[in-house]
Amino acid sequence: MRILGIETSCDETGVAVYDDTLGLLSHELYSQVKLHADYGGVVPELASRDHVRKIIPLIEKALHDADTRGQDLDGVAFTQGPGLVGALLVGSSVGRALAYAWGVPAVGVHHMEGHLLAPMLESRAPEFPFVALLVSGGHSMLVKVAGIGQYEVLGESIDDAAGEAFDKTAKLLGLDYPGGPLLAKLAEKGEPGHYKFPRPMTDRPGLDFSFSGLKTFAANTIRDAANDEQTHANIAYAFQEAVVDTLIIKCRRALKQTGMKRLVIAGGVSANTMLREKMQQLMGDMNGEVFYPALEYCTDNGAMIAYAGMQRLKSGEQCGLAAPAKPRWPLDTLEAV
């Protein structure tokens, strides 16, 4: 079977062609970073309009690179939610229209399920069951995964997501958008021991996250500190270390609570070098395994949507022409495959 995957949940337009025998045949991605940089964040209306401009050329390129025509496809998968409603509508409208024109099923995919299954694209893929840490600009959650669609949310952020806290703190440090990767790069020049940031919600039981207070602590620290590059680097190091340590502590709790030895980490923040190094150490200490997507599949992309859509399609799932975009869509409401 062969499927076209389309991702337009926020500010990346991703298109991919996936074959369940040959694997990923093509993968195209366009980022709107430059478009939104002047505003310091994603402007939903601009994001929607740019998806409209880019989506058809990217689909044509992905099909060409995969040596595939529309008639060769067995289905079209698109991100149905969650995300920015205008951006979602672009991908869902185009995806359903193409499926109708080519006479194949359309499959609406949950964006976070796409992230969760992205490590399955690798040659070293995790086996079920496992615990998943999904960390991005919009989400931070721990999920017990028994199989595709068999999800139990163990904990999630009650305010800012980890990636959002990275971006907002980077802005306070005067870094450009998107700030998260730039803050991580600045932190490489930082020295440990100069600042001590709190590890929020780790002094109480439970697996929920909270990063808004950490952002406020960073704002106060930056306000009272010297305005030079080394000081900012030291603050960036301390902030990043606090976020990573918090995620580590919560993952350790989740693994002990579930008795599992496999951990999957996905989403944009999963590309963070310090997080990967410390998580590798944690799983070594626990005699467990940790799995990540390749760096190019950590951020939003069409490949993960194509793969998740393929699993749904093979189980007989499809949606009609009236399938609505779902800007809010709890992960644990999905049906099992």
Side-chain angles (χ1 to χ4, degrees):
M1 295 180 71
R2 189 168 295 190
I3 194 168
L4 175 73
I6 300 171
E7 155 62 21
T8 61
S9 66
C10 190
D11 62 335
E12 270 102 16
T13 313
V15 180
V17 177
Y18 182 83
D19 187 285
D20 65 347
T21 301
L22 302 175
L24 189 63
L25 301 180
S26 64
H27 171 232
E28 298 295 325
L29 184 66
Y30 175 79
S31 175
Q32 301 176 3
V33 165
K34 292 182 179 179
L35 175 66
H36 301 286
D38 290 341
Y39 304 95
V42 178
V43 181
E45 177 62 21
L46 295 180
S48 304
R49 290 176 181 272
D50 215 37
H51 284 308
V52 171
R53 284 190 287 267
K54 301 298 183 181
I55 191 167
I56 297 302
L58 286 176
I59 290 172
E60 292 174 340
K61 180 69 162 52
L63 291 174
H64 177 269
D65 290 350
D67 193 21
T68 299
R69 300 173 303 167
Q71 295 82 352
D72 300 326
L73 295 169
D74 297 287
V76 178
F78 61 91
T79 302
Q80 192 172 2
L84 301 176
V85 65
L88 290 170
L89 284 170
V90 177
S92 65
S93 298
V94 172
R96 286 178 288 139
L98 290 176
Y100 179 76
W102 292 331
V104 297
V107 184
V109 173
H110 192 290
H111 179 73
M112 296 311 294
E113 182 173 64
H115 276 303
L116 190 152
L117 297 177
M120 302 294 183
L121 293 165
E122 305 306 309
S123 56
R124 178 180 172 267
E127 297 180 0
F128 299 109
F130 54 78
V131 170
L133 171 66
L134 304 178
V135 275
S136 65
H139 300 85
S140 293
M141 62 175 67
L142 279 162
V143 186
K144 179 181 177 182
V145 181
I148 298 176
Q150 300 176 54
Y151 308 132
E152 177 187 349
V153 177
L154 303 173
E156 56 190 332
S157 180
I158 62 174
D159 42 55
D160 289 359
E164 183 180 3
F166 262 97
D167 287 341
K168 289 181 176 178
T169 301
K171 188 174 183 179
L172 292 170
L173 287 168
L175 301 176
D176 291 335
Y177 172 86
L182 295 177
L183 186 149
K185 187 174 182 179
L186 178 62
E188 294 176 2
K189 303 176 183 178
E191 300 171 351
H194 289 275
Y195 297 95
K196 180 65 176 179
F197 278 52
R199 276 59 174 163
M201 294 187 70
T202 58
D203 58 349
R204 67 187 75 176
L207 295 171
D208 285 336
F209 302 97
S210 172
F211 293 107
S212 65
L214 190 62
K215 178 194 65 182
T216 302
F217 189 94
N220 293 335
T221 302
I222 294 166
R223 182 195 61 203
D224 297 336
N227 186 23
D228 62 81
E229 184 177 2
Q230 187 58 52
T231 299
H232 281 189
N234 294 338
I235 293 172
Y237 182 95
F239 171 82
Q240 177 179 248
E241 187 179 46
V243 173
V244 169
D245 284 353
T246 300
L247 296 175
I248 295 286
I249 292 168
K250 296 290 185 174
C251 284
R252 183 188 293 114
R253 286 184 188 175
L255 291 165
K256 288 183 176 180
Q257 178 177 312
T258 60
M260 293 185 182
K261 295 290 186 180
R262 278 188 292 270
L263 178 68
V264 163
I265 306 177
V269 181
S270 69
N272 183 275
T273 301
M274 180 184 284
L275 177 63
R276 291 195 173 210
E277 291 174 352
K278 290 201 171 190
M279 204 64 78
Q280 196 71 45
Q281 181 180 346
L282 168 68
M283 298 310 293
D285 293 342
M286 299 184 71
N287 296 315
E289 296 178 285
V290 60
F291 300 84
Y292 306 92
L295 291 177
E296 61 186 318
Y297 306 130
C298 289
T299 54
D300 297 347
N301 63 87
M304 68 182 193
I305 301 304
Y307 181 86
M310 175 66 77
Q311 310 315 308
R312 293 279 169 185
L313 181 63
K314 290 170 74 172
S315 72
E317 188 173 322
Q318 55 182 282
C319 61
L321 289 176
K326 299 180 179 182
R328 296 185 182 275
W329 189 6
L331 181 65
D332 54 7
T333 62
L334 297 180
E335 294 185 3
V337 170

